[in-house]
């Protein structure tokens, strides 16, 4: 049996059936990581001793016939999610030695189910980027072609799942950072409705947009992980207190009679023809399964990208003010006074892209420009929310591409930040409106690079998306 080939559902069955122990599975994963991660670079840090300890504990629980679907399952976690006792660096020099005194809500959930943490995943510094090239430490490669980017910012999380270096991983998505790398690496990524997964212990990028979610081998596995991490948390004031239920419960009920929309703005200028064809083809497949497809329009979509970059940078400039060299994180060595301490610490501790966002955000929030930029962006936000709402009055979900292209070459877009930002055009509207979306494979281009499609639903309709995604995967 090739242990690292097993999906979460398959592995869990074997662990509970005592065909395999968690220690064996964990060791198999470290072997795999040792064999391939030198080339892929998905992990920023391994937590081997923690993992083996957790695996032994899991085996005790499993031996008693107890445990859950995640007990003993090896996984990886993005390096902007706090793990007590294990460095959480956000791939930044600023937090290179930051050892969190507490676990994030999702880490606590994983620990409560005795899942096994293999290590922390590489990412763009503070989750700002679309390729992982902004990591202060290393560049992750796309397992399908190591000359190409894995996407970002959760590039390590997606590459690890694609290269079978973890059963699943957790990522974060502020403007597409789970969905776009999932698409580039041919795996499944799920961005939950805003408020479904607590942000407590997720190092903040843009608080009104950030959500944690799973990257997994298939839709079912993503749903199983979501079952574990969804839920109310009094330590996150935006966490929604509701009964989330079992996301796999309706998974196999099929899509017959559902309605899906294709917003024309998602298929316009700038989309690669092969990506377009693959997504349209997927829509046709849904039609064959009994889904009624209709073309719709969200005119405000045109402004989604600039609105996202204004809102996210404004929030980032405020959130990142805490890194001042005084309380924790990096501190410059030589300084004459407090002003110099701040200046030097932030100049030396942050990378180029992070500084760019801080400057952009500070500018847009400054007194003279607030109305012209930030306020305008919030007005666009309302228009986009209204646009989605009107589509969901008559439709169960939206089918769209995830990104305009497949994974591109490492270094191809680093010279032009704006060109890189343009690649986020299809993912950011979902965060602006706080909606759930699944990114899943729907084909490949002529070079064999994966193409992803995105299924978007109204707030708290994850079950519908999972049902549609599962039906597509098992058609
Ligand atoms: N690529 C987008 C950005 O750089 C999204 C990042 C994210 O979702 N964390 O802002």
């Amino acid at each position: 049996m090739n242990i690292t080939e097993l999906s979460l559902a398959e592995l869990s069955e074997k662990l509970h059936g005592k065909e395999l122990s968690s220690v064996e599975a964990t060791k198999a994963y470290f072997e795999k990581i040792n064999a391939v991660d030198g080339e892929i670079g998905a992990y920023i840090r391994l937590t081997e001793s923690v993992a083996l300890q957790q695996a032994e504990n899991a085996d005790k629980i499993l031996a008693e016939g107890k445990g859950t679907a995640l007990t003993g399952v090896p996984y990886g976690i993005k390096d902007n999610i706090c793990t007590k006792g294990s460095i959480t660096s956000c791939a930044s020099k600023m937090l290179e030695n930051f050892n969190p005194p507490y676990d994030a809500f999702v880490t606590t959930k994983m620990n409560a189910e005795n899942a096994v943490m293999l290590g922390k995943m590489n990412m763009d510094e503070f989750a700002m980027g679309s390729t992982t090239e902004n990591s202060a430490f290393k560049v992750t490669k796309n397992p399908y072609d190591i000359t190409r980017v894995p996407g970002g910012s959760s590039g390590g999380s997606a590459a690890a799942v694609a290269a079978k270096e973890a059963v699943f991983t957790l990522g974060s998505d502020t403007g597409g950072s789970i969905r776009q790398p999932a698409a580039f690496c041919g795996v499944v990524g799920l961005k939950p409705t805003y408020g479904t997964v607590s942000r407590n212990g997720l190092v903040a990028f843009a608080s009104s947009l950030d959500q944690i979610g799973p990257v997994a081998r298939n839709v079912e596995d993503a749903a199983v992980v979501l079952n574990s991490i969804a839920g109310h948390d009094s330590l996150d004031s935006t966490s929604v207190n509701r009964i989330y239920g079992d996301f796999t419960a309706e998974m196999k009920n099929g899509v017959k009679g559902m309605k899906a929309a294709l917003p024309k703005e998602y298929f316009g200028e700038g989309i690669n023809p092969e990506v377009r064809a693959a997504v349209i083809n997927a829509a046709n497949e849904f039609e064959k399964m009994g889904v009624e497809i209709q073309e719709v329009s969200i005119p405000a979509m045109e402004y989604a990208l600039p609105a996202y970059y204004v809102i996210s940078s404004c929030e980032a400039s405020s959130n990142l003010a805490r890194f001042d060299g005084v309380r924790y994180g990096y501190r410059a060595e030589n300084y004459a006074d407090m002003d110099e301490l701040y200046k030097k610490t932030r100049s030396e501790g942050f990378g180029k892209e992070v500084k760019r966002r801080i400057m952009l955000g500070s500018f847009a929030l400054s007194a003279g420009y607030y109305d012209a930029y930030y306020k305008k962006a919030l007005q666009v936000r309302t228009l986009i929310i209204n646009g989605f709402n009107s589509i969901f009055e008559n439709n169960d979900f939206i089918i769209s591409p995830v990104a305009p292209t497949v994974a591109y070459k490492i270094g191809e877009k680093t010279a032009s930040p704006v060109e890189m930002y343009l690649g986020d055009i299809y993912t950011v509207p979902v965060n602006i409106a706080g909606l759930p979306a699944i990114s899943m494979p729907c084909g490949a281009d002529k070079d064999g690079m994966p193409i992803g499609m995105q299924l978007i639903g109204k707030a708290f309709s994850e079950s519908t998306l999972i049902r549609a995604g599962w039906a597509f995967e098992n058609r």
Side-chain angles (χ1 to χ4, degrees), residues 7-10 13 69-70 188 190 214 216-227 246-248 251-252 438 440 466-467 469-471 473-474:
S7 69
L8 168 51
E10 289 162 350
E13 200 185 303
L70 297 186
V188 172
L190 195 162
R217 309 260 173 109
N218 57 43
V219 172
E220 176 173 8
D221 287 2
V224 169
V225 178
L226 187 62
N227 275 343
D246 178 354
F247 291 106
T248 62
M251 186 172 73
K252 298 183 182 170
I438 290 186
M440 59 185 292
I466 287 163
R467 185 166 155 183
W470 191 89
E473 217 170 49
N474 295 280

mmCIF file of all heavy atoms in Angstrom, residues 7-10 13 69-70 188 190 214 216-227 246-248 251-252 438 440 466-467 469-471 473-474:
data_model
loop_
_atom_site.group_PDB
_atom_site.id
_atom_site.type_symbol
_atom_site.label_atom_id
_atom_site.label_comp_id
_atom_site.label_asym_id
_atom_site.label_seq_id
_atom_site.Cartn_x
_atom_site.Cartn_y
_atom_site.Cartn_z
ATOM 1 N N SER A 7 -6.454 9.080 0.171
ATOM 2 C CA SER A 7 -7.178 10.311 0.508
ATOM 3 C C SER A 7 -7.437 10.320 2.019
ATOM 4 O O SER A 7 -7.202 9.308 2.696
ATOM 5 C CB SER A 7 -8.510 10.356 -0.239
ATOM 6 O OG SER A 7 -9.361 9.355 0.279
ATOM 7 N N LEU A 8 -7.932 11.420 2.514
ATOM 8 C CA LEU A 8 -8.263 11.525 3.939
ATOM 9 C C LEU A 8 -9.284 10.451 4.326
ATOM 10 O O LEU A 8 -9.115 9.749 5.331
ATOM 11 C CB LEU A 8 -8.800 12.929 4.241
ATOM 12 C CG LEU A 8 -9.481 13.228 5.573
ATOM 13 C CD1 LEU A 8 -8.666 12.790 6.766
ATOM 14 C CD2 LEU A 8 -9.768 14.714 5.680
ATOM 15 N N ALA A 9 -10.321 10.315 3.511
ATOM 16 C CA ALA A 9 -11.366 9.342 3.834
ATOM 17 C C ALA A 9 -10.786 7.919 3.850
ATOM 18 O O ALA A 9 -11.076 7.130 4.761
ATOM 19 C CB ALA A 9 -12.511 9.450 2.827
ATOM 20 N N GLU A 10 -9.951 7.618 2.869
ATOM 21 C CA GLU A 10 -9.356 6.267 2.797
ATOM 22 C C GLU A 10 -8.405 5.997 3.966
ATOM 23 O O GLU A 10 -8.450 4.937 4.588
ATOM 24 C CB GLU A 10 -8.568 6.108 1.485
ATOM 25 C CG GLU A 10 -9.450 6.016 0.244
ATOM 26 C CD GLU A 10 -8.679 6.303 -1.052
ATOM 27 O OE1 GLU A 10 -7.505 6.751 -1.009
ATOM 28 O OE2 GLU A 10 -9.274 6.080 -2.120
ATOM 29 N N GLU A 13 -10.232 5.512 7.276
ATOM 30 C CA GLU A 13 -10.855 4.184 7.375
ATOM 31 C C GLU A 13 -9.820 3.143 7.788
ATOM 32 O O GLU A 13 -10.075 2.294 8.643
ATOM 33 C CB GLU A 13 -11.447 3.835 6.014
ATOM 34 C CG GLU A 13 -12.510 2.757 6.077
ATOM 35 C CD GLU A 13 -12.969 2.384 4.674
ATOM 36 O OE1 GLU A 13 -13.416 3.289 3.936
ATOM 37 O OE2 GLU A 13 -12.854 1.191 4.333
ATOM 38 N N ALA A 69 -12.770 11.420 12.322
ATOM 39 C CA ALA A 69 -12.239 11.267 10.954
ATOM 40 C C ALA A 69 -10.829 11.834 10.819
ATOM 41 O O ALA A 69 -10.095 11.463 9.908
ATOM 42 C CB ALA A 69 -13.170 11.953 9.962
ATOM 43 N N LEU A 70 -10.454 12.744 11.714
ATOM 44 C CA LEU A 70 -9.125 13.366 11.578
ATOM 45 C C LEU A 70 -8.080 12.755 12.512
ATOM 46 O O LEU A 70 -6.896 13.090 12.426
ATOM 47 C CB LEU A 70 -9.215 14.876 11.852
ATOM 48 C CG LEU A 70 -10.065 15.701 10.898
ATOM 49 C CD1 LEU A 70 -9.936 17.187 11.225
ATOM 50 C CD2 LEU A 70 -9.659 15.462 9.452
ATOM 51 N N VAL A 188 -8.157 20.576 -4.481
ATOM 52 C CA VAL A 188 -9.402 21.239 -4.095
ATOM 53 C C VAL A 188 -9.130 22.225 -2.956
ATOM 54 O O VAL A 188 -8.432 21.896 -1.998
ATOM 55 C CB VAL A 188 -10.451 20.193 -3.642
ATOM 56 C CG1 VAL A 188 -11.691 20.868 -3.058
ATOM 57 C CG2 VAL A 188 -10.824 19.287 -4.800
ATOM 58 N N LEU A 190 -11.179 25.184 -0.429
ATOM 59 C CA LEU A 190 -12.494 25.693 -0.049
ATOM 60 C C LEU A 190 -12.355 26.942 0.807
ATOM 61 O O LEU A 190 -11.694 26.917 1.844
ATOM 62 C CB LEU A 190 -13.253 24.602 0.713
ATOM 63 C CG LEU A 190 -14.752 24.756 0.908
ATOM 64 C CD1 LEU A 190 -15.357 23.405 1.281
ATOM 65 C CD2 LEU A 190 -15.136 25.776 1.953
ATOM 66 N N PRO A 214 -9.752 24.667 4.117
ATOM 67 C CA PRO A 214 -8.944 23.490 3.780
ATOM 68 C C PRO A 214 -8.467 23.455 2.323
ATOM 69 O O PRO A 214 -9.150 23.946 1.429
ATOM 70 C CB PRO A 214 -9.914 22.332 4.026
ATOM 71 C CG PRO A 214 -11.270 22.912 3.808
ATOM 72 C CD PRO A 214 -11.190 24.370 4.147
ATOM 73 N N ALA A 216 -7.374 20.196 -0.053
ATOM 74 C CA ALA A 216 -7.475 18.743 0.082
ATOM 75 C C ALA A 216 -7.413 18.048 -1.276
ATOM 76 O O ALA A 216 -7.393 18.701 -2.316
ATOM 77 C CB ALA A 216 -8.777 18.392 0.803
ATOM 78 N N ARG A 217 -7.373 16.717 -1.228
ATOM 79 C CA ARG A 217 -7.257 15.933 -2.465
ATOM 80 C C ARG A 217 -8.559 15.913 -3.259
ATOM 81 O O ARG A 217 -8.560 15.735 -4.461
ATOM 82 C CB ARG A 217 -6.911 14.475 -2.123
ATOM 83 C CG ARG A 217 -5.741 14.315 -1.188
ATOM 84 C CD ARG A 217 -4.478 13.975 -1.916
ATOM 85 N NE ARG A 217 -3.366 13.994 -0.989
ATOM 86 C CZ ARG A 217 -2.721 12.900 -0.565
ATOM 87 N NH1 ARG A 217 -3.076 11.713 -1.005
ATOM 88 N NH2 ARG A 217 -1.715 13.010 0.292
ATOM 89 N N ASN A 218 -9.677 15.973 -2.535
ATOM 90 C CA ASN A 218 -10.976 15.935 -3.212
ATOM 91 C C ASN A 218 -12.008 16.681 -2.373
ATOM 92 O O ASN A 218 -11.713 17.140 -1.262
ATOM 93 C CB ASN A 218 -11.404 14.489 -3.487
ATOM 94 C CG ASN A 218 -11.470 13.661 -2.210
ATOM 95 O OD1 ASN A 218 -11.968 14.125 -1.185
ATOM 96 N ND2 ASN A 218 -10.964 12.435 -2.244
ATOM 97 N N VAL A 219 -13.204 16.801 -2.918
ATOM 98 C CA VAL A 219 -14.252 17.598 -2.289
ATOM 99 C C VAL A 219 -14.678 16.998 -0.946
ATOM 100 O O VAL A 219 -14.853 17.713 0.047
ATOM 101 C CB VAL A 219 -15.459 17.743 -3.250
ATOM 102 C CG1 VAL A 219 -16.642 18.395 -2.554
ATOM 103 C CG2 VAL A 219 -15.061 18.546 -4.487
ATOM 104 N N GLU A 220 -14.805 15.693 -0.912
ATOM 105 C CA GLU A 220 -15.227 15.044 0.336
ATOM 106 C C GLU A 220 -14.229 15.358 1.462
ATOM 107 O O GLU A 220 -14.622 15.699 2.579
ATOM 108 C CB GLU A 220 -15.329 13.529 0.145
ATOM 109 C CG GLU A 220 -15.659 12.825 1.459
ATOM 110 C CD GLU A 220 -15.943 11.330 1.321
ATOM 111 O OE1 GLU A 220 -15.743 10.784 0.220
ATOM 112 O OE2 GLU A 220 -16.352 10.727 2.331
ATOM 113 N N ASP A 221 -12.941 15.240 1.174
ATOM 114 C CA ASP A 221 -11.925 15.504 2.196
ATOM 115 C C ASP A 221 -12.017 16.951 2.693
ATOM 116 O O ASP A 221 -11.888 17.211 3.893
ATOM 117 C CB ASP A 221 -10.519 15.245 1.635
ATOM 118 C CG ASP A 221 -10.218 13.746 1.470
ATOM 119 O OD1 ASP A 221 -11.108 12.929 1.760
ATOM 120 O OD2 ASP A 221 -9.091 13.421 1.048
ATOM 121 N N ALA A 222 -12.233 17.867 1.757
ATOM 122 C CA ALA A 222 -12.357 19.282 2.150
ATOM 123 C C ALA A 222 -13.560 19.457 3.082
ATOM 124 O O ALA A 222 -13.493 20.188 4.083
ATOM 125 C CB ALA A 222 -12.501 20.176 0.924
ATOM 126 N N ALA A 223 -14.653 18.752 2.780
ATOM 127 C CA ALA A 223 -15.865 18.852 3.610
ATOM 128 C C ALA A 223 -15.615 18.293 5.011
ATOM 129 O O ALA A 223 -16.081 18.851 6.014
ATOM 130 C CB ALA A 223 -17.020 18.111 2.935
ATOM 131 N N VAL A 224 -14.866 17.209 5.081
ATOM 132 C CA VAL A 224 -14.567 16.589 6.380
ATOM 133 C C VAL A 224 -13.742 17.552 7.242
ATOM 134 O O VAL A 224 -13.993 17.716 8.437
ATOM 135 C CB VAL A 224 -13.835 15.232 6.184
ATOM 136 C CG1 VAL A 224 -13.290 14.710 7.504
ATOM 137 C CG2 VAL A 224 -14.771 14.212 5.544
ATOM 138 N N VAL A 225 -12.779 18.219 6.620
ATOM 139 C CA VAL A 225 -11.955 19.171 7.375
ATOM 140 C C VAL A 225 -12.809 20.376 7.803
ATOM 141 O O VAL A 225 -12.708 20.850 8.933
ATOM 142 C CB VAL A 225 -10.727 19.638 6.548
ATOM 143 C CG1 VAL A 225 -9.913 20.662 7.331
ATOM 144 C CG2 VAL A 225 -9.851 18.447 6.157
ATOM 145 N N LEU A 226 -13.675 20.825 6.910
ATOM 146 C CA LEU A 226 -14.548 21.952 7.251
ATOM 147 C C LEU A 226 -15.441 21.599 8.444
ATOM 148 O O LEU A 226 -15.690 22.440 9.313
ATOM 149 C CB LEU A 226 -15.392 22.381 6.042
ATOM 150 C CG LEU A 226 -16.217 23.651 6.253
ATOM 151 C CD1 LEU A 226 -15.323 24.860 6.531
ATOM 152 C CD2 LEU A 226 -17.123 23.932 5.066
ATOM 153 N N ASN A 227 -15.895 20.369 8.486
ATOM 154 C CA ASN A 227 -16.701 19.924 9.638
ATOM 155 C C ASN A 227 -15.969 20.195 10.943
ATOM 156 O O ASN A 227 -16.577 20.552 11.943
ATOM 157 C CB ASN A 227 -16.969 18.416 9.560
ATOM 158 C CG ASN A 227 -18.178 18.102 8.697
ATOM 159 O OD1 ASN A 227 -18.989 18.974 8.411
ATOM 160 N ND2 ASN A 227 -18.299 16.855 8.285
ATOM 161 N N ASP A 246 -23.499 18.923 9.462
ATOM 162 C CA ASP A 246 -22.501 18.056 8.834
ATOM 163 C C ASP A 246 -22.441 18.388 7.342
ATOM 164 O O ASP A 246 -23.406 18.178 6.611
ATOM 165 C CB ASP A 246 -22.905 16.593 9.061
ATOM 166 C CG ASP A 246 -21.936 15.620 8.396
ATOM 167 O OD1 ASP A 246 -21.022 16.070 7.670
ATOM 168 O OD2 ASP A 246 -22.101 14.413 8.608
ATOM 169 N N PHE A 247 -21.285 18.905 6.910
ATOM 170 C CA PHE A 247 -21.149 19.342 5.511
ATOM 171 C C PHE A 247 -21.134 18.175 4.515
ATOM 172 O O PHE A 247 -21.205 18.390 3.317
ATOM 173 C CB PHE A 247 -19.900 20.210 5.337
ATOM 174 C CG PHE A 247 -20.014 21.545 6.021
ATOM 175 C CD1 PHE A 247 -19.322 21.805 7.198
ATOM 176 C CD2 PHE A 247 -20.834 22.535 5.498
ATOM 177 C CE1 PHE A 247 -19.439 23.025 7.834
ATOM 178 C CE2 PHE A 247 -20.951 23.765 6.126
ATOM 179 C CZ PHE A 247 -20.255 24.009 7.304
ATOM 180 N N THR A 248 -20.998 16.950 5.019
ATOM 181 C CA THR A 248 -21.026 15.813 4.088
ATOM 182 C C THR A 248 -22.423 15.189 3.987
ATOM 183 O O THR A 248 -22.653 14.310 3.163
ATOM 184 C CB THR A 248 -20.037 14.704 4.521
ATOM 185 O OG1 THR A 248 -20.430 14.211 5.800
ATOM 186 C CG2 THR A 248 -18.604 15.196 4.577
ATOM 187 N N MET A 251 -23.983 15.560 0.623
ATOM 188 C CA MET A 251 -22.956 15.543 -0.426
ATOM 189 C C MET A 251 -23.322 14.692 -1.639
ATOM 190 O O MET A 251 -23.047 15.050 -2.778
ATOM 191 C CB MET A 251 -21.666 15.030 0.225
ATOM 192 C CG MET A 251 -20.458 15.059 -0.633
ATOM 193 S SD MET A 251 -19.026 14.642 0.383
ATOM 194 C CE MET A 251 -19.292 12.888 0.605
ATOM 195 N N LYS A 252 -23.956 13.551 -1.387
ATOM 196 C CA LYS A 252 -24.197 12.610 -2.485
ATOM 197 C C LYS A 252 -25.594 12.704 -3.082
ATOM 198 O O LYS A 252 -26.027 11.819 -3.807
ATOM 199 C CB LYS A 252 -23.902 11.185 -1.995
ATOM 200 C CG LYS A 252 -22.452 11.016 -1.577
ATOM 201 C CD LYS A 252 -22.110 9.608 -1.159
ATOM 202 C CE LYS A 252 -20.637 9.577 -0.712
ATOM 203 N NZ LYS A 252 -20.257 8.325 -0.076
ATOM 204 N N ILE A 438 -15.720 27.055 -3.750
ATOM 205 C CA ILE A 438 -14.819 25.901 -3.887
ATOM 206 C C ILE A 438 -14.045 26.063 -5.184
ATOM 207 O O ILE A 438 -14.606 26.437 -6.212
ATOM 208 C CB ILE A 438 -15.604 24.569 -3.967
ATOM 209 C CG1 ILE A 438 -16.225 24.243 -2.624
ATOM 210 C CG2 ILE A 438 -14.702 23.418 -4.416
ATOM 211 C CD1 ILE A 438 -16.894 22.883 -2.582
ATOM 212 N N MET A 440 -11.841 23.751 -7.733
ATOM 213 C CA MET A 440 -11.544 22.328 -7.980
ATOM 214 C C MET A 440 -11.121 22.105 -9.428
ATOM 215 O O MET A 440 -11.460 22.894 -10.306
ATOM 216 C CB MET A 440 -12.759 21.479 -7.627
ATOM 217 C CG MET A 440 -14.002 21.821 -8.411
ATOM 218 S SD MET A 440 -15.430 20.879 -7.842
ATOM 219 C CE MET A 440 -14.974 19.222 -8.359
ATOM 220 N N ILE A 466 -20.551 21.837 -1.892
ATOM 221 C CA ILE A 466 -19.924 20.525 -1.694
ATOM 222 C C ILE A 466 -20.703 19.464 -2.479
ATOM 223 O O ILE A 466 -20.116 18.593 -3.132
ATOM 224 C CB ILE A 466 -19.853 20.206 -0.177
ATOM 225 C CG1 ILE A 466 -18.765 21.078 0.462
ATOM 226 C CG2 ILE A 466 -19.604 18.722 0.088
ATOM 227 C CD1 ILE A 466 -18.827 21.189 1.968
ATOM 228 N N ARG A 467 -22.007 19.595 -2.449
ATOM 229 C CA ARG A 467 -22.854 18.656 -3.193
ATOM 230 C C ARG A 467 -22.585 18.755 -4.700
ATOM 231 O O ARG A 467 -22.410 17.755 -5.384
ATOM 232 C CB ARG A 467 -24.301 19.017 -2.878
ATOM 233 C CG ARG A 467 -25.330 18.116 -3.429
ATOM 234 C CD ARG A 467 -26.623 18.464 -2.712
ATOM 235 N NE ARG A 467 -27.775 18.113 -3.519
ATOM 236 C CZ ARG A 467 -29.029 18.363 -3.157
ATOM 237 N NH1 ARG A 467 -29.278 18.965 -1.997
ATOM 238 N NH2 ARG A 467 -30.025 18.008 -3.921
ATOM 239 N N GLY A 469 -19.879 20.065 -6.140
ATOM 240 C CA GLY A 469 -18.486 19.685 -6.400
ATOM 241 C C GLY A 469 -18.314 18.169 -6.400
ATOM 242 O O GLY A 469 -17.636 17.600 -7.256
ATOM 243 N N TRP A 470 -18.956 17.536 -5.451
ATOM 244 C CA TRP A 470 -18.858 16.069 -5.348
ATOM 245 C C TRP A 470 -19.485 15.424 -6.587
ATOM 246 O O TRP A 470 -18.932 14.472 -7.155
ATOM 247 C CB TRP A 470 -19.541 15.576 -4.066
ATOM 248 C CG TRP A 470 -19.244 14.131 -3.776
ATOM 249 C CD1 TRP A 470 -18.193 13.641 -3.048
ATOM 250 C CD2 TRP A 470 -19.993 12.984 -4.215
ATOM 251 N NE1 TRP A 470 -18.238 12.267 -3.016
ATOM 252 C CE2 TRP A 470 -19.334 11.839 -3.720
ATOM 253 C CE3 TRP A 470 -21.150 12.812 -4.981
ATOM 254 C CZ2 TRP A 470 -19.785 10.537 -3.948
ATOM 255 C CZ3 TRP A 470 -21.606 11.519 -5.225
ATOM 256 C CH2 TRP A 470 -20.927 10.402 -4.706
ATOM 257 N N ALA A 471 -20.629 15.956 -7.001
ATOM 258 C CA ALA A 471 -21.306 15.406 -8.177
ATOM 259 C C ALA A 471 -20.414 15.532 -9.412
ATOM 260 O O ALA A 471 -20.305 14.607 -10.216
ATOM 261 C CB ALA A 471 -22.635 16.142 -8.407
ATOM 262 N N GLU A 473 -17.111 15.765 -9.480
ATOM 263 C CA GLU A 473 -15.955 14.891 -9.307
ATOM 264 C C GLU A 473 -16.306 13.428 -9.569
ATOM 265 O O GLU A 473 -15.494 12.663 -10.068
ATOM 266 C CB GLU A 473 -15.510 15.026 -7.850
ATOM 267 C CG GLU A 473 -14.044 15.004 -7.598
ATOM 268 C CD GLU A 473 -13.787 15.399 -6.142
ATOM 269 O OE1 GLU A 473 -14.417 14.852 -5.214
ATOM 270 O OE2 GLU A 473 -12.982 16.291 -5.947
ATOM 271 N N ASN A 474 -17.509 13.043 -9.239
ATOM 272 C CA ASN A 474 -17.920 11.627 -9.337
ATOM 273 C C ASN A 474 -18.871 11.381 -10.493
ATOM 274 O O ASN A 474 -19.631 10.416 -10.474
ATOM 275 C CB ASN A 474 -18.536 11.167 -8.015
ATOM 276 C CG ASN A 474 -17.525 11.180 -6.895
ATOM 277 O OD1 ASN A 474 -16.720 10.267 -6.767
ATOM 278 N ND2 ASN A 474 -17.513 12.244 -6.100
#
